[in-house]
Amino acid sequence: MDGLDDLRGKYLNGIGTAATEAALEDLRLAALGKKGEVAGLMRELGRMTPEERQTMGPALNALKDEIDAALRAKKAALGDMALNERLRSEWLDVTLPARPRRLGSIHPVSQVMEECTALFADMGFAVAEGPQVETDWYNFDALNIVPEHPARQEHDTFFMHRAEGDTRPPHVLRTHTSPVQIRAMQSQGAPIRIIAPGRVYRMDMDQTHTPMFHQIEGLAIDRDISMANLKWVLEEFFSAYFGTKVKTRFRASHFPFTEPGAEVDIQCSWSGGSLKVGEGDGWLEVLGSGMVHPSVLRAGGIDPDQWQGFAFGMGIDRMAMLKYGIPDLRAFFESDLRWLRHYGFSALDMPSVHAG
Ligand code: PHE
């Protein structure tokens, strides 16, 4: 039995001083494993006399249980220690103020698109979309623009490259948002009230032109829509957009897809070298418009004897420059962070038709 006391002392000591779970596992194998010391003694029980076995058997079992319990207790203690150590070393002060981070800003064009969308939505116009890479049928033919028309010539329009033998119809980067008129007619039929904001492309680059710019198309089709409705909608829109009553002037003009067509100017003053919208006796051209040409209605699958309507196309970049006093169009697309921070809007500065 003295041998057992030695064994007990040896293992309980070892367990007491073990510092890692791996060390504990080594001790478990050495004592209780198949080839361990306690297991070895148990195998010897078979060679003992019944009397010896009667005392030795229970003693060995007790020793085995004791070592096993010590191993478990120590394992739990080591786990607690590891957790405490992590809690101590990974402590962090959640009450510290956060590091300041630069927030991005909303581009003036995005802001103005949102503003315009909200204002037209208030008048019952839904948003429609079309692709920026458009077939020449949607961009030109369906809009009554004949192949000889100057707007179709290479110097204005970006044509998509076609490999030799590629027989797909020609595609272009849309030169205006007007093809969305046709797509809306085809997909929803009359009556229609939509606006279509988006990017358009023309080969043009100077102080007031960039090869990509933005337009908003408007289209209203119903039984008896007239130029008077167009004028009301636009005056209502400009006054809400600029926050002041804005007069408009319609000048007869020609677009292949309207009959009649008109260019629209808004009232402004140039006094003191700065431009002010809604006052004075100057005029500034801001959009093209007109009654939708019967051939265009027909191309969109709408019967021109039953339905009529107006359409307009307005430059959004110009609208942003006018409202927010931004002098140079090209800066819009240069991604200069200082410019963006100066002219950009906070993400929380959401346009609302109820403001001001
Ligand atoms: N699509 C014309 C342009 O880009 C604008 C326009 C739209 C004119 C609708 C009349 C009617 O210049």
Side-chain angles (χ1 to χ4, degrees):
M1 295 294 264
D2 283 355
L4 285 196
D5 282 338
D6 288 350
L7 218 48
R8 172 186 292 109
K10 175 169 125 186
Y11 281 109
L12 293 187
N13 265 337
I15 292 168
T17 55
T20 62
E21 288 200 16
L24 277 186
E25 180 61 9
D26 287 345
L27 285 166
R28 190 186 69 77
L29 286 173
L32 311 179
K34 255 191 197 140
K35 292 181 183 151
E37 288 193 85
V38 178
L41 288 176
M42 286 199 160
R43 270 194 300 278
E44 279 173 27
L45 286 175
R47 279 186 270 128
M48 292 181 188
T49 64
E51 293 78 36
E52 282 174 326
R53 210 179 298 148
Q54 220 157 36
T55 53
M56 204 50 182
L60 273 175
N61 269 329
L63 176 60
K64 183 177 149 237
D65 290 347
E66 202 175 340
I67 293 176
D68 192 48
L71 282 167
R72 284 174 200 278
K74 181 69 185 216
K75 192 167 172 186
L78 283 179
D80 286 350
M81 268 169 59
L83 181 60
N84 283 336
E85 174 55 21
R86 270 189 65 190
L87 286 174
R88 195 190 59 74
S89 66
E90 294 177 14
W91 180 87
L92 88 130
D93 185 352
V94 293
T95 67
L96 280 177
R99 289 198 192 101
R101 267 214 209 171
R102 279 263 192 192
L103 282 184
S105 59
I106 306 289
H107 194 284
V109 170
S110 306
Q111 180 80 7
V112 166
M113 278 210 196
E114 287 294 322
E115 288 176 18
C116 294
T117 306
L119 291 173
F120 282 113
D122 206 39
M123 293 191 270
F125 288 79
V127 171
E129 280 180 326
Q132 295 177 41
V133 177
E134 189 54 283
T135 67
D136 67 347
W137 187 82
Y138 279 103
N139 195 80
F140 297 124
D141 302 75
L143 290 162
N144 207 25
I145 305 175
V146 291
E148 311 79 63
H149 195 279
R152 263 174 110 129
Q153 301 313 304
E154 292 271 352
H155 62 262
D156 253 332
T157 306
F158 290 105
F159 284 86
M160 303 307 284
H161 175 73
R162 282 282 184 267
E164 212 170 323
D166 186 338
T167 55
R168 285 176 297 169
H171 279 65
V172 300
L173 292 179
R174 67 178 180 192
T175 58
H176 50 181
T177 41
S178 299
V180 186
Q181 289 187 32
I182 307 296
R183 293 186 173 273
M185 292 179 200
Q186 288 180 333
S187 67
Q188 63 192 70
I192 300 178
R193 268 174 193 59
I194 53 123
I195 55 160
R199 296 183 166 180
V200 301
Y201 303 82
R202 286 179 207 174
M203 253 181 255
D204 217 346
M205 184 68 172
D206 60 32
Q207 196 154 12
T208 51
H209 295 92
T210 49
M212 184 281 296
F213 57 104
H214 300 83
Q215 287 188 334
I216 289 192
E217 193 79 6
L219 177 69
I221 306 282
D222 215 319
R223 299 277 179 196
D224 52 9
I225 295 236
S226 72
M227 290 290 271
N229 300 123
L230 170 65
K231 184 157 171 127
W232 181 85
V233 163
L234 291 179
E235 285 196 348
E236 192 74 8
F237 165 74
F238 288 125
S239 297
Y241 177 77
F242 289 107
T244 176
K245 180 90 194 118
V246 178
K247 283 197 193 134
T248 59
R249 181 172 78 170
F250 282 56
R251 280 179 294 107
S253 183
H254 173 75
F255 301 98
F257 34 95
T258 59
E259 185 53 44
E263 276 171 324
V264 178
D265 304 338
I266 54 176
Q267 177 197 14
C268 67
S269 82
W270 301 92
S271 67
S274 74
L275 178 68
K276 291 217 176 64
V277 174
E279 59 180 63
D281 50 12
W283 297 99
L284 191 71
E285 184 193 323
V286 286
L287 59 79
S289 66
M291 295 300 289
V292 180
H293 194 290
S295 306
V296 174
L297 290 171
R298 234 174 269 121
I302 289 179
D303 180 359
D305 293 328
Q306 302 284 326
W307 305 93
Q308 61 182 27
F310 66 71
F312 61 84
M314 173 171 69
I316 301 185
D317 315 275
R318 159 69 70 87
M319 295 298 285
M321 294 168 78
L322 287 175
K323 180 163 175 180
Y324 296 110
I326 307 173
D328 185 355
L329 175 68
R330 284 172 300 187
F332 273 64
F333 310 117
E334 278 168 1
S335 302
D336 179 336
L337 272 182
R338 288 164 307 170
W339 188 92
L340 291 168
R341 281 181 191 133
H342 181 78
Y343 287 110
F345 292 82
S346 153
L348 298 176
D349 194 3
M350 289 306 286
S352 149
V353 286
H354 309 296

